[in-house]
């Protein structure tokens, strides 16, 4: 128990150190540059303590739960030798974690509003809800596809740069043809797809897979899934904008 | 207190919504496809609960303390009253160097929020353990944070000057492709990933507030056209800085090795 407590205190100090730069930056600009007092000091102090505690629990939880299960499942799939199930799993993970992502729900609703104002769709509640959910499913599909493609890359050992450069070319080409209203939203949707919980799990999956397949190096081949998940939504969403 | 509890419950519900599909997929596949009990089930479940509690506290604390203050500061720093003394003194033609404090703030807030980004911490922990310590947690985090800081400062400069976003992005892509041909092979995938992990929980809300504040107050800029795009910069520049970090350390190692060889000969 004592050892647990020591570990926890060490983790707490680490989190405090991680957050110190934000506190210093805000304090410096508020007091020295803007020369204004800090409002609601008590509330801000409590909030900062919550952030420190939260980060501590999160990192501890990663090491206890998300990392081991991600890697163990990657090993289990590799041993089972069933590529099909692995791909289904990869797709489900990408699709399932994205479709419920709160940030994406917010962005999709905003996008529907912009589209309605721009006259792309009818300015009615129904049309907007349809557009928003269509957008969400498009992004979720693209992330599922991205994780699946990333897993195929790890299995085959393709160099990542060709796929990424190909993706960039795809984004540039689509930008030229997509309706201008959707471009900004498409670029942003690349950023909102990978949530704080998906990232560690997907990373553990990639690294676990690359270390259990003979001839793959976890450092060279294990990473890169997140990069795909940020790239494909841009292409898919612009495609959605062209079809709708 | 009741307000606090209510908003805490709300955040907890949102975070659970985020965790639930992941848990369902993992346990579903574990039980029905792999058909084995979850190894060390107790630890895994405790870990999930820790992640849930941790993320809830983290988001709630940010919402309560750092976000309002950061957004307020972004507005104040870009307000004409601060930049030009009074409201009437706004010149018709703004010069990019009127906004030096804004660039400095953009750099500092980009750097510090990235250091605290939980997704990046997760990826850095994995990279350190996989690379056997060649890539240190702090080395990677600082490299990414510098990239984000430069990206956001440059993005703020772009909003002020009103130059088209796609020039920067295309130029950035070219640099990334050139670097890819020269950088050590082991870093490439990790570098591409670091572009995706920087734009999440902590960085996005603060940076968006900065962009919208800036686009709203600089004469001649529109919030809709110029307000976004900072996130794109924040995703592109870490790719360059992480590859740059690897290139520098490789160059340094080569030079040290060459010097050692030289010394041994003499």
């Amino acid at each position: 128990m004592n050892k647990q407590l020591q570990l926890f205190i060490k983790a707490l100090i680490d989190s405090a150190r991680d957050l110190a730069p934000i506190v210093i930056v805000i304090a410096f600009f508020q007091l020295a540059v803007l020369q204004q007092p800090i409002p609601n000091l008590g509330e801000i102090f409590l909030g900062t303590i919550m952030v420190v505690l939260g980060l501590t629990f999160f990192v501890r939880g990663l090491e206890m739960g998300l990392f081991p299960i991600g890697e163990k499942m990657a090993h289990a799939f590799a041993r089972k030798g069933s590529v099909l199930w692995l791909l289904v799993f990869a797709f489900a993970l990408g699709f399932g974690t994205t479709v419920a992502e709160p940030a994406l729900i917010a962005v999709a609703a905003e996008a529907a509003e912009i589209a309605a104002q721009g006259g792309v769709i009818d300015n009615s509640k129904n049309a907007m809800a349809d557009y928003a959910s269509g957008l969400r499913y498009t992004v979720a599909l693209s992330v599922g596809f991205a994780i699946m493609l990333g897993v195929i890359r790890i299995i085959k050992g393709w160099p990542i740069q060709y796929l990424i450069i190909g993706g960039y070319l795809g984004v540039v080409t689509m930008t030229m043809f997509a309706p201008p209203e959707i471009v900004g939203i498409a670029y942003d949707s690349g950023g909102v797809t990978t949530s704080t919980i998906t990232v560690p799990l997907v990373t553990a999956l990639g690294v676990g897979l690359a270390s259990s397949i003979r001839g793959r190096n976890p450092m060279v081949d294990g990473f890169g899934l997140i990069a795909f998940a940020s790239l494909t939504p841009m292409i898919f969403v612009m495609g959605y904008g062209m079809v709708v | 207190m009741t307000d606090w509890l209510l908003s805490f419950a709300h955040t907890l519900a949102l975070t659970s919504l985020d965790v639930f599909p992941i848990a369902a997929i993992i346990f579903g596949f574990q039980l029905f496809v792999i058909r084995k009990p979850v190894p060390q089930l107790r630890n895994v479940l405790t870990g999930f609960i820790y992640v849930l509690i941790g993320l809830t506290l983290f988001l709630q604390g940010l919402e309560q303390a750092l976000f309002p203050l950061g957004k307020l500061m972004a507005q104040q720093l870009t307000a004409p009253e601060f930049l030009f003394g009074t409201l009437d003194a706004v010149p018709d033609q703004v010069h990019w160097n009127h906004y030096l404090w804004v660039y400095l703030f953009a750099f500092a807030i980009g750097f510090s929020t990235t250091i605290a980004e939980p997704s990046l911490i997760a990826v850095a922990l994995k990279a350190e353990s996989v690379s056997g310590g060649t890539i240190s947690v702090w080395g990677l985090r600082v490299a990414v944070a510098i990239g984000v800081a430069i990206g956001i400062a440059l993005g703020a400069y772009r909003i002020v000057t009103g130059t088209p976003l796609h020039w920067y992005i295309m130029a950035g892509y070219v640099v990334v492709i050139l670097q890819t041909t020269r950088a050590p092979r082991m870093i490439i995938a990790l570098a591409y990933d670091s572009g995706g992990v920087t734009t999440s929980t902590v960085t996005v809300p603060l940076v968006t507030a900065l962009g919208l504040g800036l686009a709203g107050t600089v004469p001649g800029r529109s919030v809709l056209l110029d307000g976004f795009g900072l996130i794109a910069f924040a995703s592109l520049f870490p790719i360059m800085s992480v590859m740059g970090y690897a290139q520098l350390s490789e160059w340094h190692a080569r030079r040290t090795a060459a010097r050692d060889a030289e010394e041994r000969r003499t």
Side-chain angles (χ1 to χ4, degrees):
Chain A
M1 193 58 220
N2 218 340
K3 188 148 175 292
Q4 282 292 321
L5 196 69
Q6 269 179 357
L7 274 175
F8 189 77
I9 289 171
K10 198 187 157 294
L12 214 55
I13 294 171
D14 281 350
S15 311
R17 198 187 47 200
D18 291 342
L19 285 155
I22 301 192
V23 174
I24 293 169
V25 167
I26 290 190
F28 171 75
F29 274 86
Q30 186 74 6
L31 301 175
V33 181
L34 291 164
Q35 305 196 333
Q36 277 175 25
I38 290 178
N40 312 331
L41 201 59
E43 197 161 304
I44 285 177
F45 183 71
L46 277 180
T48 311
I49 291 189
M50 279 161 65
V51 172
V52 171
L53 270 176
L55 203 56
T56 310
F57 272 109
F58 177 77
V59 172
R60 192 82 196 95
L62 280 189
E63 282 169 341
M64 281 178 78
L66 282 175
F67 278 166
I69 190 105
E71 274 190 39
K72 291 238 173 66
M73 289 191 83
H75 289 303
F77 275 120
R79 232 194 343 263
K80 208 166 154 31
S82 162
V83 176
L84 183 71
W85 275 117
L86 179 61
L87 295 183
V88 173
F89 177 71
F91 183 84
L93 198 63
F95 185 87
T97 55
T98 310
V99 91
E101 174 68 34
L104 178 62
I105 296 173
V107 168
E110 208 173 301
E113 221 160 279
I114 293 174
Q117 280 164 12
V120 181
I121 53 169
D122 287 345
N123 199 351
S124 72
K125 272 241 151 59
N126 264 339
M128 269 157 64
D130 281 353
Y131 188 84
S133 57
L135 198 63
R136 266 174 63 203
Y137 285 114
T138 309
V139 175
L141 268 176
S142 68
V143 176
F145 173 76
I147 307 284
M148 206 168 77
L149 186 70
V151 165
I152 298 177
R153 178 192 82 86
I154 295 174
I155 297 173
K156 300 271 183 196
W158 292 332
I160 187 166
Q161 55 266 41
Y162 300 120
L163 289 164
I164 294 284
I165 293 172
Y168 280 166
L169 290 178
V171 170
V172 173
T173 321
M174 294 292 276
T175 308
M176 290 191 278
F177 295 108
E181 301 85 23
I182 197 96
V183 172
I185 297 158
Y187 283 11
D188 270 4
S189 55
V192 295
T193 48
T194 43
S195 82
T196 320
I197 303 162
T198 321
V199 167
L201 190 62
V202 165
T203 306
L205 177 75
V207 167
L209 206 56
S211 57
S212 52
I213 297 175
R214 195 190 299 250
R216 296 287 165 272
N217 176 329
M219 199 58 221
V220 174
D221 303 299
F223 293 94
L225 291 173
I226 307 293
F228 285 138
S230 311
L231 189 60
T232 51
M234 301 195 219
I235 302 176
F236 275 55
V237 169
M238 285 193 271
Y240 178 72
M242 286 160 71
V243 172
V244 173
Chain B
M1 190 66 200
T2 21
D3 280 357
W4 186 86
L5 273 180
L6 267 179
S7 72
F8 187 84
H10 182 71
T11 318
L12 186 66
L14 280 182
T15 317
S16 310
L17 206 67
D18 210 7
V19 177
F20 177 74
I22 301 185
I25 291 166
I26 286 182
F27 291 113
F29 272 85
Q30 184 74 37
L31 296 178
F32 298 114
V33 179
I34 298 177
R35 288 175 197 275
K36 274 194 199 127
V38 180
Q40 288 177 312
L41 184 64
R42 261 188 55 165
N43 266 351
V44 170
L45 285 180
T46 319
F48 265 90
I49 291 167
Y50 275 9
V51 165
L52 198 66
I53 295 175
L55 218 49
T56 308
L57 278 173
F58 184 78
L59 292 174
Q60 180 74 13
L62 283 180
E63 216 46 73
Q64 185 177 325
L66 293 171
F67 285 166
L69 196 55
K71 284 177 186 168
L72 191 69
M73 288 170 68
Q75 281 162 11
Q76 285 174 341
L77 275 171
T78 52
E81 294 91 323
F82 169 74
L83 291 161
F84 305 106
T86 62
L87 206 56
D88 307 321
V90 184
D92 293 333
Q93 204 67 76
V94 287
H95 230 275
W96 67 271
N97 52 18
H98 287 143
Y99 288 87
L100 286 179
W101 276 122
V102 175
Y103 309 141
L104 195 64
F105 181 69
F107 186 91
I109 208 82
F111 184 88
S112 55
T113 52
T114 307
I115 289 288
E117 196 62 78
S119 318
L120 178 60
I121 298 177
V123 170
L125 284 172
K126 264 264 128 21
E128 184 176 78
S129 72
V130 170
S131 70
T134 320
I135 293 164
S136 72
V137 169
W138 275 96
L140 185 69
R141 284 168 70 190
V142 170
V144 175
I146 290 176
V148 174
I150 295 175
I152 293 176
L154 196 67
Y157 169 80
R158 184 199 75 82
I159 295 178
V160 169
T161 56
T163 33
L165 175 66
H166 55 261
W167 292 0
Y168 291 84
I169 301 292
M170 302 261 178
Y173 280 174
V174 172
V175 173
V176 167
I177 291 172
L178 287 180
Q179 268 185 309
T180 304
T181 60
R182 316 288 307 177
R185 222 165 69 89
M186 65 176 250
I187 202 79
I188 292 172
L190 183 62
Y192 289 159
D193 268 2
S194 31
V197 295
T198 50
T199 47
S200 75
T201 338
V202 197
T203 322
V204 171
L206 283 181
V207 168
T208 311
L210 183 71
L212 294 178
L214 207 52
T217 49
V218 177
R221 299 289 161 272
S222 108
V223 175
L224 215 69
L225 285 176
D226 301 299
F228 297 93
L230 282 178
I231 304 296
F233 277 84
S235 311
L236 187 58
F237 279 78
I239 306 183
M240 295 184 217
S241 65
V242 170
M243 284 200 270
Y245 159 71
Q247 283 174 302
L248 270 180
S249 30
E250 198 190 46
W251 174 77
H252 183 76
R254 248 205 327 260
R255 216 181 52 157
T256 323
R259 206 176 39 218
D260 285 353
E262 187 82 10
E263 269 166 17
R264 240 174 282 132
R265 235 180 309 146
T266 51

